[in-house]
Amino acid sequence: TQSTWGSMFVAVFGFLSLFGNADKRFSVKVEPSESTSFAKLLLKKGMLKDNQDAVNWEMSTRLAVPRRNHDCVIDGDQMISFGGRFGSNLESMNLFTGAITTAPGPLEIHHFRSVIVESLENKGEKEIWIACGYREGGGVDVEGAPLSHVVIVNPITLDFRNGPEIPNELSVSACGALALTIEENQPPHICVFGGSVGTHDNGTFQDTIGCYDRSKKKWDISILGKLPVVADHLNIGYIPRGTCGNDSPE
């Protein structure tokens, strides 16, 4: 599953990416716990001392291409930004030096969520999976067709390829997504939640949940049931059982 610090990073730096073309320095206050991987990373980099309760992180580097309705993931020291309106390329930014590497991207994909997982084909490597979203669109408030296939990105080389075909029931945009362990001792599934069919003005919100089993190479649109309400433009998080008390559910 996605780690707690990874989810926090995506939220924080997704905001920074959105405004990354402005000529300002942004200061983000983060309050990490010593038990989180995020805090350990800051300690390792010398950006956080043991007796500090918080850290102000200033970032002055701008993205190479302004974009909106995009997504980003964190892999070690790198923030990989891709997609969005007007942003068809891929960008990898070193969070501690600000150095940016760019590469061509898979068309103009926007209104999507992405997850990063360990590759099953190439041990020791990672992959970014994009399992919903609009293709191109031509401008603000103009949406193209939804993705027909999953897009898989290598976070190191920034190469991309088409993954499995997306079933009609999950052919949506503006979905939520999560890498979720469904079966014990098996690799996480790629799960897609909700989304919309059609455009912003006349689209239909969805309550579907579908998960792709990477080991069996097949989709299951019933394994987690349905959302309690229809929704799009949503973020999904996983809270382990017992987090809020001994009897709290997952």
Side-chain angles (χ1 to χ4, degrees):
T1 59
Q2 289 179 306
S3 64
T4 301
W5 73 269
S7 300
M8 176 167 61
F9 254 148
V10 169
V12 172
F13 287 103
F15 174 81
L16 288 178
S17 299
L18 181 62
F19 296 97
N21 60 322
D23 291 314
K24 294 183 179 180
R25 295 180 66 90
F26 294 95
S27 179
V28 178
K29 188 173 183 180
V30 183
E31 297 181 352
S33 163
E34 289 184 2
S35 63
T36 66
S37 299
F38 180 53
K40 292 176 181 177
L41 179 62
L42 294 180
L43 286 167
K44 180 180 178 181
K45 295 295 180 179
M47 300 181 67
L48 180 66
K49 296 180 180 179
D50 290 325
N51 61 351
Q52 285 183 314
D53 295 324
V55 59
N56 285 320
W57 193 333
E58 290 190 350
M59 195 173 193
S60 59
T61 303
R62 295 181 293 174
L63 290 176
V65 176
R67 61 187 77 216
R68 56 175 290 193
N69 303 131
H70 63 293
D71 201 11
C72 61
V73 298
I74 303 297
D75 181 29
D77 293 352
Q78 300 297 123
M79 178 182 72
I80 300 96
S81 301
F82 38 80
R85 299 188 193 272
F86 321 116
S88 61
N89 74 326
L90 298 163
E91 298 186 34
S92 181
M93 177 191 292
N94 186 297
L95 297 174
F96 300 101
T97 68
I100 293 178
T101 300
T102 62
L107 300 176
E108 181 183 303
I109 302 172
H110 56 91
H111 283 86
F112 63 94
R113 286 289 178 265
S114 54
V115 295
I116 187 166
V117 291
E118 298 288 339
S119 173
L120 299 186
E121 288 76 23
N122 301 300
K123 300 298 183 182
E125 296 185 8
K126 296 180 181 179
E127 297 175 336
I128 301 168
W129 282 55
I130 302 170
C132 78
Y134 292 116
R135 293 178 298 170
E136 302 179 273
V140 178
D141 296 328
V142 180
E143 282 77 51
L147 289 178
S148 60
H149 290 74
V150 171
V151 175
I152 302 174
V153 179
N154 184 309
I156 302 300
T157 65
L158 300 185
D159 294 332
F160 62 90
R161 71 182 193 276
N162 277 345
E165 185 176 4
I166 299 172
N168 289 334
E169 297 92 335
L170 300 175
S171 184
V172 299
S173 301
C175 70
L178 190 67
L180 191 61
T181 299
I182 303 294
E183 300 178 38
E184 191 175 356
N185 299 320
Q186 294 297 315
H189 291 40
I190 307 298
C191 297
V192 176
F193 300 80
S196 61
V197 175
T199 67
H200 281 82
D201 292 334
N202 61 14
T204 303
F205 299 158
Q206 303 298 302
D207 61 1
T208 51
I209 303 175
C211 295
Y212 185 76
D213 186 330
R214 295 183 294 142
S215 295
K216 298 177 182 177
K217 300 185 184 302
K218 69 175 186 178
W219 289 93
D220 190 330
I221 59 172
S222 62
I223 192 168
L224 294 181
K226 293 183 178 294
L227 293 173
V229 295
V230 296
D232 76 344
H233 291 76
L234 68 159
N235 290 306
I236 300 294
Y238 172 70
I239 301 175
R241 183 182 297 274
T243 299
C244 302
N246 293 334
D247 299 324
S248 65
E250 289 182 292

